[in-house]
Amino acid sequence: HLDQPQRAFELVRKNNSPQGAGMVATFCMSNGDYEMAIEFLLMANLDKQAFDRARNHNKMDIYAKTLGDKGTEEQYLRLA
């Protein structure tokens, strides 16, 4: 479904698939869409990569928003 990115995004969000989220995150990064990449990296349980992308691309607000109230103590401490 990566020839139909929006459809792929919907499917991954609906199914909460870490493997699918990783593929979508790679797609987003290759297209320079770091906001979406951060969302899907977190969904793929690739927290360090998500944090690094957020920090390197000035998207910490997106990282924090995506975490919402579902983050771990370690993730919140990193934001402080």
Side-chain angles (χ1 to χ4, degrees):
H1 287 291
L2 290 181
D3 58 329
Q4 300 174 19
Q6 293 303 319
R7 178 77 176 126
F9 300 163
E10 290 171 22
L11 285 171
V12 169
R13 286 184 184 117
K14 180 180 176 183
N15 296 316
N16 199 23
S17 163
Q19 183 179 8
M23 291 190 305
V24 168
T26 299
F27 174 83
C28 292
M29 286 184 288
S30 70
N31 287 292
D33 188 345
Y34 295 103
E35 292 183 14
M36 296 287 278
I38 291 163
E39 173 189 350
F40 288 108
L41 285 167
L42 285 170
M43 191 181 295
N45 302 314
L46 297 171
D47 178 62
K48 181 168 178 6
Q49 288 182 30
F51 181 84
D52 290 345
R53 294 296 181 283
R55 187 184 60 218
N56 293 338
H57 296 282
N58 199 26
K59 302 289 184 187
M60 292 306 290
D61 57 328
I62 300 301
Y63 180 86
K65 181 181 172 187
T66 303
L67 279 181
D69 63 357
K70 294 179 171 66
T72 65
E73 182 178 347
E74 180 181 334
Q75 289 169 319
Y76 293 124
L77 287 172
R78 231 186 259 158
L79 284 170

